[in-house]
Amino acid sequence: MNIKLSFFFIIFSIFQIAYSQEKFEISGQIFSDKNEAIPGANITIGDTGTTSDFEGHFKIKIPEGEYILKVSFLGFKTYTQNIRIDQNKNFKIQLSETEEVLEEVVITQDVEALNTKTAQMSVNTLKAESIKKIPAVFGEVDVIRSLLQLPGVSNGGEGTSGFNVRGGNNDQNLILVDDVVLFNASHLFGFFSVFNANSIDYLKLYKAGIPANFGGRVSSVLDIKQKKGSQKDFKGSASIGVISSQLLLEGPIRKDKSSFLFAGRGTYAHLFLKLTDNKNSAYFYDLNGKYSTELSPNNKLNFSVYHGNDYVTINESFSNTYGSTFANLNWNHRFNPDISADINFSYSLYGYLLDLDLVGFEFKNDISNLNLNAKFNHRISNDFKLNYGVSSIKYNINPGEIKPTRADSGINPNKIADKNAYEHAVFLSAEHQLLENLKAEYGVRLNAFWRMGEKEFKRYTNDNPILYDAEKGIYEKAKPSEVVDISKNHIQKEFYNLEPRASLAYSFNDDTSIKASFNRLTQNLHLLSNTSSPTPFDVWTPSGTYVKPQKLNQYSFGYFKNFENRKYSLESEVFFKTVKNRIDYVDGANLIANDAIEQVILNGESRAYGLEFLLRKNKGQLTGWISYTLSKSEQRTPGRNPGESGINNGEWYLSNYDKTHDISVVASYELNKKWTFNSSFNLQTGRPVSFPVGQFEYQDLNIPVYEGRNLNRLPAYHRLDISAKLTPEKDLSKNWTSSWTFGIYNLYNRKNAASLNFEQNETTGLNEANRFSIFGIVPSVSYQINF
């Protein structure tokens, strides 16, 4: 017995000595040779590792001993150093760009080709320098079209704005630029996006596993960061293309302390129209600016602005102007090596103006917000980190205002009452290394939404603004029982929702893992549109007495693996999500200048599920990826009681953005230092549509008859794009370089259907279907200089 006790005592002593060994704190900051902080860098000391935060800082606690310090980040040379740990130490480590870094970017699933150990899943990261590898129409770089090459991401087709994630609608995507909410992301009716790739540092698209600091939308989060200007040297770039040009200038204001960045672009195709006496015109411009300064080692300030506008005129009788403006002030403060804060105050506005000179009136609407948010990062230990904070947003929505522009127009001025709301949130999340091979990210967000009072608020009997006529089988508008004015300082309706989030990752080894996540999200702001092709005419409405918040539950599970020293990577996921209170529209709903939207909408539900694959080749002269999505997206709006038919007889029907199969193949081949060739191929199931199944004649008019919603599809969509970049050898006598980019959009001239219209042939009297296509083959060329 004494021998057993002695043995136990020895073992206990060994464990006590091992776990009581003094540990020292190793901290520091990672930055580039441009003196810019590098977030997400991988730091390892022996067998212990971590990543740098958004300001490049890191901290590790390890026992005394001899170690190798290693720092790595995609696109930079790996830093290694032998160190002796016998006291607390602080390092300031500068990484140098690798010579192999391409001037144009590749899309990566994370900062590395694939990070199997992090609990984060369903996240795509895009570095701005290489969006140009995705050939685009007219040769114009387009961030949104680059995202469409990824699994689970699609849109309504050519000439449509925005993007759809896992079957969700455009309004279900939260788009942030430097933490500013952007309400519309398109130029020229969706042909271009508002993002100038020259001014973007990086972006992340969250399809699931969304961190608790994000909220307000139920489909995805697109988080875009604009880059800071160089603090060392003045430099810039300029490019000229088929219909647009761009300019970027950046440099120090106080060397190594503060910098500026300015970027602008614009189109000039309308100038060529004038030469042909064409009275139609369409063009856009946008401007980006950013000021960054280091007030002290622990205080940094950034101020960013954006302004962009589109102008469209038709025969001088119709003009359309719309665009966005935003500004953001960001203060980053580090209290100590363990705690830092990121505080933002921003303003964002999207406005739309339609001037019908032929009729003699103009119509305008807009939406704006003021946003204050604070996020704190707190490192408890190497294995446990906290993120927590608060946010507060004030929304102001002008649904519509009509003004006569001529005395003889006969139009009476009219303004729909403004809609105001506040959205507040507090959040807490944790990154937790539970076991050596098991990592978790979990948290919760508490959302409060206050719909404020408005003028001429309509009340209805039993709070029912829409009635069902069982005899006719149709929905009809209810008459208001009274109209009252409610002070905008009074809360008309309030909602409180708890949003838990959780992700788990189990690593079998450094290259193989499985992951799972759950998200609950709430959306209180709704875009009203009963068309499948988004337009710049955006009508937003907040949740309130008659419009309920959308609520999502999403489950995801994935398998991730790297092969041959990360030369290849495979990402596969399955997902299932449901959304309650998804807005649906009665047949014939009119949304334009409607001061009683509640009379034409019903609350339904939606669901989507699918399987996604992404196979990448990350190294070598030939790089690229193949993505495939197999999915289904449906919507249903049953009757509110057994006597109602609901929408589509209360049955599930395909959503406007359902695409059973979606395949993308992207390839880039670097022939030599001069020539790089790029290509992309897309194949998708046609978009759901409703075709008439018959017709009847009424007062000499042919009236089509429809059987149900979205029972048919457009023909399959497919397209091949190619491009080539020529970079001549640098002339050492000049302090600038140049390059040419040649591209062909839709190489084999596929006439993809944007819509099918059924009309009666005036000659034969027979009904026929006419296919409407937007683009055929489109060649392009652009020239760029860097100085």
Side-chain angles (χ1 to χ4, degrees), residues 551-574:
K551 297 180 181 181
L552 168 133
N553 287 329
Q554 180 169 203
Y555 307 85
S556 300
F557 180 81
Y559 173 78
F560 306 86
K561 187 171 181 59
N562 287 312
F563 305 89
E564 296 185 20
N565 196 26
R566 298 198 174 188
K567 184 177 180 180
Y568 300 94
S569 60
L570 171 67
E571 305 168 47
S572 57
E573 295 187 33
V574 292

Side-chain angles (χ1 to χ4, degrees), residues 120 258 288-289 316 358 377 484 495 525 543 700 727 731:
Q120 223 173 44
S258 60
N288 296 73
E316 298 180 350
L358 183 67
N377 296 276
V484 297
F495 302 93
L525 209 60
S543 297
D700 296 328
T727 306
D731 187 341

Side-chain angles (χ1 to χ4, degrees), residues 24-30 41-52 56-62 65-73 77-85 89-95:
F24 298 97
E25 181 178 285
I26 308 303
S27 59
Q29 184 181 23
I30 314 299
N42 295 310
I43 303 102
T44 58
I45 302 178
D47 296 328
T48 306
T50 187
T51 58
S52 57
H57 293 281
F58 72 93
K59 191 185 80 168
I60 299 176
K61 287 186 177 181
I62 57 175
E66 301 279 348
Y67 297 94
I68 296 177
L69 169 63
K70 183 178 179 181
V71 182
S72 63
F73 186 75
K77 295 178 180 178
T78 299
Y79 174 94
T80 58
Q81 179 184 349
N82 294 319
I83 58 174
R84 167 71 185 172
I85 302 300
K89 290 187 177 182
N90 184 272
F91 294 89
K92 198 164 187 180
I93 299 171
Q94 184 181 72
L95 299 185

